[in-house]
Amino acid sequence: IDKLKTRYCVRLTVEDKLGTLAACTNAFAECGISIAHISQTESEDGATCTLIYVTHEALEEDIRTAETALEALEGLREGSSV
């Protein structure tokens, strides 16, 4: 399954602070994953936001590596991928 190549949708809940979007996007880039679309939605309290990334075709193993990198970021509250 590591060699499966498809598009992915990754949803992250992060602290809404300067540099968080850049850090998350950089984690994908460092794993060789190209982003097709990004959406950011602010929470009602303004403390967090939801980032939704849609990738171009990427390998499953690269997505798993990116998930590990994202989990290590300060400010990540929750993450999931489809």
Side-chain angles (χ1 to χ4, degrees), residues 4 6-11 52-55 60 63-64 67 79-82:
L4 174 67
T6 190
R7 293 171 60 111
Y8 292 86
C9 179
V10 179
R11 181 183 179 274
I52 299 175
Y53 289 86
V54 178
T55 72
E60 175 75 17
I63 289 291
R64 297 290 164 231
E67 286 177 340
S80 64
S81 67
V82 176

Side-chain angles (χ1 to χ4, degrees), residues 45-64:
D45 66 6
T48 62
C49 64
T50 300
L51 303 176
I52 299 175
Y53 289 86
V54 178
T55 72
H56 290 283
E57 284 193 345
L59 292 173
E60 175 75 17
E61 65 185 343
D62 293 339
I63 289 291
R64 297 290 164 231

